[in-house]
Amino acid sequence: MSLRLATFNIENLLTRFDFTGFRNQTRRDRAMQLFEIRDEATYQALESARLVSSTDDTRQLSALAIADADADILCLQEVDNMAALQAFEYGYLFRMVGNGYRQKYLVEGNDSRGIDVAVIMREETRDGQRIELVDIKSHAALTYRDLHLFNADISVTNQPDDKIFKRDCLELDLRIGGKPFTLYVVHLKSMTNSRESTDARLGTMAIRHAELKAVRHIIESRFGAGKARDMNFAICGDMNDYQEKVLIDGDRRKGYTFTPVKEDESALKVLSADGFAINPMLRRDVMDRWTLYHSRGPQEQHLCQLDYIWLSPRLASLNQNQVPDIIRNGQPFRTIFPPGQAVDRYPRTGWDRPKASDHCPVVMTLDLE
């Protein structure tokens, strides 16, 4: 019996318009910057038209990427609310794959923009095994004080009674063909908005470190510190951190070079350092593990893995010959691929947009016992 499990940061699956760009130029879309707009009513009308017209292409591409992942269970990040999830699943995904995800779960979390983690599931796996939800639990209310995680590094940007998870850690207790499987879905603190003048990733790392300590605490409290590694669990989502990256140098005229680099510090060590959870992406070549292209212009470009399916040691051992797939066909044409990795982009993909997302779906087939 096998389960196809995927994670995907779908990038701003929203039901709301953001009109703050009229008064705040930094929030205004670049296309709108080309026009002189004198009053707010005109701005709102134009911004609504711009967003509606671009959203259809974007969500068709998102649905194509999900269809290619062909997962039985899909963990999503950056979902506005259940209404947005239902509208996307029925209006785009179901129409494209013809076999929808009838089970949908979302709990409102802590994100200041209102984006949440969610899970959609088929009623059965591809080989006919029933997928049952036994229980679902949000951990959004946990504070630093609750788990004794407040420290000097956290105090730079937070208070003791602030919530640990910037979105949530959504816990789903499942049975797949009668076999137990526990899923944890997260979207950790972004690598921006640091109050320090240093590297934004390092400046926000203490928050992600605490989030992952909390995830580990939740799992060990559930199963027992000495027993968790022998259970069927997976931790999925956008970790907003990495332990290695592929540096890109060069330009379109001269060509590019690609150099893999390991990071000395990463919040992900909370999971990996003692083998508490296994990153099966390491079974792929070091140049071919990336799920996101990052660029701040020609002088700062790299590829890295932000999207993860972490497996318990037991699950990793049961599936030691399985390798995750990465769906990159929805990446915009500006994404720079290492030699030999180029893929056919979906129809209507643009240079920067429309695109399926700035992230790539990650999917893996797992056997359960």
Side-chain angles (χ1 to χ4, degrees):
M1 186 211 75
S2 64
L3 167 71
R4 191 114 167 124
L5 176 66
T7 185
F8 184 30
N9 182 327
I10 199 169
E11 191 182 13
N12 294 328
L13 181 60
L14 303 176
T15 58
R16 298 164 282 130
F17 296 110
D18 182 0
F19 299 127
T20 57
F22 179 73
R23 302 184 184 281
N24 183 351
Q25 291 286 329
T26 63
R27 300 290 298 273
R28 184 175 295 193
D29 184 81
R30 61 178 179 266
M32 300 288 280
Q33 297 276 13
L34 298 172
F35 298 92
E36 182 179 356
I37 305 171
R38 297 183 178 277
D39 62 87
E40 190 164 0
T42 301
Y43 177 83
Q44 291 188 7
L46 291 172
E47 175 61 15
S48 299
R50 182 197 70 79
L51 188 58
V52 169
S53 63
S54 65
T55 294
D56 183 56
D57 281 340
T58 297
R59 293 315 163 199
Q60 289 189 61
L61 298 174
S62 301
L64 276 168
I66 293 171
D68 279 349
D70 194 23
D72 301 312
I73 299 176
L74 174 63
C75 308
L76 292 168
Q77 300 86 52
E78 297 200 11
V79 178
D80 194 359
N81 50 41
M82 184 58 76
L85 186 59
Q86 290 174 332
F88 169 72
E89 190 274 336
Y90 179 74
Y92 290 87
L93 193 53
F94 173 73
R95 290 174 179 269
M96 186 165 295
V97 302
N99 181 14
Y101 292 83
R102 292 181 178 271
Q103 302 188 71
K104 305 177 186 69
Y105 304 100
L106 180 150
V107 178
E108 297 291 335
N110 300 322
D111 187 87
S112 59
R113 293 198 296 130
I115 54 173
D116 300 305
V117 299
V119 178
I120 59 177
M121 308 190 301
R122 302 195 191 282
E123 294 180 303
E124 293 183 344
T125 64
R126 292 185 301 168
D127 56 6
Q129 299 297 318
R130 187 178 176 191
I131 302 174
E132 303 174 77
L133 176 71
V134 178
D135 194 17
I136 184 171
K137 184 183 297 183
S138 166
H139 295 281
L142 284 175
T143 68
Y144 295 110
R145 189 188 302 276
D146 290 335
L147 299 188
H148 308 288
L149 291 175
F150 195 74
N151 56 39
D153 292 333
I154 295 293
S155 69
V156 174
T157 54
N158 290 269
Q159 299 298 319
D161 292 314
D162 286 347
K163 305 295 192 298
I164 298 172
F165 294 110
K166 297 310 169 187
R167 282 88 180 187
D168 196 359
C169 174
L170 193 61
E171 178 180 0
L172 288 85
D173 186 15
L174 305 169
R175 289 197 175 274
I176 315 297
K179 294 179 172 60
F181 176 61
T182 308
L183 182 61
Y184 299 89
V185 187
V186 298
H187 182 187
L188 302 188
K189 166 66 181 171
S190 66
M191 294 182 282
T192 59
N193 300 325
S194 169
R195 296 182 185 179
E196 301 177 6
S197 59
T198 56
D199 180 276
R201 174 175 167 269
L202 295 177
T204 54
M205 190 176 294
I207 298 174
R208 289 187 297 279
H209 187 272
E211 288 180 301
L212 287 175
K213 291 281 285 186
V215 171
R216 183 161 175 168
H217 171 86
I218 290 166
I219 296 172
E220 292 181 328
S221 296
R222 164 74 188 278
F223 298 115
K227 298 179 180 179
R229 298 165 190 257
D230 296 322
M231 300 299 172
N232 289 339
F233 74 78
I235 308 165
C236 295
D238 177 359
M239 303 292 160
N240 268 316
D241 210 339
Y242 48 86
Q243 294 180 296
E244 59 188 16
K245 61 186 175 184
V246 178
L247 293 177
I248 303 172
D249 192 24
D251 55 41
R252 295 170 64 190
R253 183 171 65 87
K254 297 178 181 178
Y256 298 100
T257 60
F258 301 85
T259 308
V261 175
K262 289 188 177 294
E263 296 291 335
D264 293 329
E265 297 297 329
S266 173
L268 301 176
K269 287 183 178 180
V270 172
L271 301 180
S272 67
D274 63 349
F276 176 77
I278 308 300
N279 176 18
M281 194 75 84
L282 298 180
R283 299 169 186 173
R284 297 175 66 103
D285 183 80
V286 66
M287 297 285 287
D288 196 22
R289 299 168 184 166
W290 60 275
T291 66
L292 180 130
Y293 165 68
H294 169 83
S295 173
R296 292 183 181 272
Q299 302 306 314
E300 186 181 339
Q301 300 180 90
H302 69 254
L303 301 163
C304 62
Q305 181 190 2
L306 294 189
D307 306 274
Y308 292 78
I309 298 175
W310 291 90
L311 302 178
S312 68
R314 181 176 191 271
L315 266 185
S317 178
L318 285 172
N319 295 276
Q320 56 187 320
N321 295 321
Q322 297 285 1
V323 178
D325 293 323
I326 307 170
I327 311 300
R328 296 179 177 137
N329 309 72
Q331 283 288 289
F333 281 93
R334 72 180 182 90
T335 300
I336 302 170
F337 284 67
Q341 295 184 24
V343 296
D344 292 330
R345 305 306 210 282
Y346 298 134
R348 298 180 66 84
T349 298
W351 175 253
D352 179 55
R353 60 186 183 187
K355 58 183 180 295
S357 171
D358 51 346
H359 294 249
C360 300
V362 175
V363 60
M364 187 173 185
T365 299
L366 298 173
D367 290 324
L368 299 178
E369 289 185 1

